Amino acid sequence: MPLDRAKNKKANATSYSSQDSLNAIMKQKIKSNTSSSDKAMQSGTSIFDPVLCELAYRWFCPPGGLVLDPFAGGSVRGIVAAKLGRKYVGIDLSARQIEANMEQAARICGNNKPLWHIGDSREIDALCPDVQADFIFSCPPYADLEVYSDNPQDLSTMPYPVFLKAYQEIIKKSCALLKENRFACFVVGEVRDNKGNYYGLVPDTIRAFMDAGLRFYNEAILVTAVGSLPIRVGRQFEAGRKLGKTHQNVLVFVKGDPKKATQDIGPVEFGEMLTPLDRSDEVNA
Ligand SMILES: C[S@@+](CC[C@H](N)C(=O)[O-])C[C@H]1O[C@@H](n2cnc3c(N)ncnc32)[C@H](O)[C@@H]1O
């Protein structure tokens, strides 16, 4: 969940080394749901919200089901899946990020470890040909808001029209690996171009999933911490009536029949997340 441009360019250099703080943030977040996002904000690293992740898996992924993540990023989505007894296959271009994720999963997860592939998700069909996903869940690069590397295959390095073409291709190929009567969910946020206008990443995401044959089913708003926005937005609002933003868009899509998809998920799951060992052994039973 990228914050703002300048801050994030710098932030990238630090994301791997903050794995330990990520641990603390995840544990704290799962337990207390309050302070970790402020910590994450202060450190400037975009760390995915583990509570949003937990809700998404419990609501939209069958127990024991397989989560496919074409833009894996940090370890949160993989580890939360493991802790909830779901299988997880994530793809990311960044070998360093994947190494850090696997190291962390080795420390936190029981037998049911998330699986990460290093690669370009435009080749997701070749990278994981046998995957039949029960849920697609991801947080793509928000265009060039946060640049993750100088790798030309990295979508965050591409001019928007090139970004969009690659983005549409990855969504199409990921949806082809999703079983019928299943849900998909992307967390995205609008991004301004260098003239200050929004690219339209949210509607482009919706269109890309619909072009891939899915239906646009739910829309939720994740309100993020206000942080320093009131201070930062003053001048831009006076100068150009530009509003600041403290939310992300949680877009849910369905392939086939939502009722059948819900039947396969079963009753709404809630309650304390089981300790790593309990649930993880179930998956392999
Ligand atoms: C929003 S980020 C993840 C940010 C955040 N840390 C997270 O965990 O959600 C998106 C990720 O997409 C990856 N990425 C960019 N282009 C890619 C591509 N062509 N194939 C696979 N991953 C890609 C980047 O390396 C980055 O880690």
Side-chain angles (χ1 to χ4, degrees), residues 55 62 91:
L55 288 176
I91 297 96

Short mmCIF file of all heavy atoms in Angstrom, two decimals, residues 55 62 91:
data_model
loop_
_atom_site.label_atom_id
_atom_site.label_comp_id
_atom_site.label_asym_id
_atom_site.label_seq_id
_atom_site.Cartn_x
_atom_site.Cartn_y
_atom_site.Cartn_z
N LEU A 55 -9.08 -11.23 6.72
CA LEU A 55 -10.51 -11.12 6.37
C LEU A 55 -10.75 -11.64 4.96
O LEU A 55 -11.68 -12.42 4.71
CB LEU A 55 -10.96 -9.66 6.47
CG LEU A 55 -11.08 -9.08 7.88
CD1 LEU A 55 -11.43 -7.59 7.80
CD2 LEU A 55 -12.12 -9.84 8.68
N PRO A 62 -11.95 -20.77 0.10
CA PRO A 62 -12.36 -21.99 0.83
C PRO A 62 -11.26 -22.46 1.79
O PRO A 62 -10.07 -22.34 1.46
CB PRO A 62 -12.57 -23.03 -0.28
CG PRO A 62 -12.69 -22.23 -1.54
CD PRO A 62 -11.92 -20.97 -1.34
N ILE A 91 4.16 -14.93 -6.87
CA ILE A 91 5.20 -14.66 -7.87
C ILE A 91 5.69 -13.24 -7.68
O ILE A 91 4.87 -12.33 -7.47
CB ILE A 91 4.68 -14.84 -9.30
CG1 ILE A 91 4.27 -16.30 -9.55
CG2 ILE A 91 5.74 -14.45 -10.33
CD1 ILE A 91 2.82 -16.55 -9.38
#
